Amino acid sequence: MNINIDIERLVLEGVPISPSQGRVLQRAVEKELSRLLANEGLPDNLLPGGVAPGGAIQLKHGTNPTQMGQQIAQRIYRGMKR
């Protein structure tokens, strides 16, 4: 089964992140979302398609891009389960 997820926009307000860190963050989001979907599956409310709401998350100061990506992906996945 192929799952396509389109994240229309990801806004990081007040987070100083360089372009190279942005690429690390993007890969971390993709990797964590893939892991969650592989382990937990696609939420029933999104079969056979749907929209998950976004939302704000609080990132701790000093969080590295990989940790940020994981936190963002986990928030996205929780939003998909609503």
Side-chain angles (χ1 to χ4, degrees):
M1 169 173 36
N2 289 327
I3 299 172
N4 296 310
I5 297 175
D6 180 29
I7 299 174
E8 187 174 307
R9 187 170 159 188
L10 180 61
V11 178
L12 302 173
E13 291 184 19
V15 179
I17 192 163
S18 70
S20 64
Q21 290 174 319
R23 289 186 291 279
V24 171
L25 185 138
Q26 178 183 352
R27 285 191 299 275
V29 169
E30 291 169 354
K31 183 177 178 181
E32 182 68 4
L33 265 178
S34 295
R35 184 190 72 76
L36 290 166
L37 289 166
N39 291 340
E40 306 290 331
L42 188 65
D44 291 340
N45 61 318
L46 293 182
L47 294 173
V51 176
I57 63 170
Q58 297 295 319
L59 299 172
K60 294 180 182 177
H61 181 69
T63 303
N64 70 47
T66 299
Q67 292 168 323
M68 277 191 264
Q70 291 168 339
Q71 290 176 6
I72 291 166
Q74 290 166 8
R75 173 62 180 90
I76 291 168
Y77 188 77
R78 284 194 309 271
M80 289 172 25
K81 292 178 83 170
R82 290 186 188 165

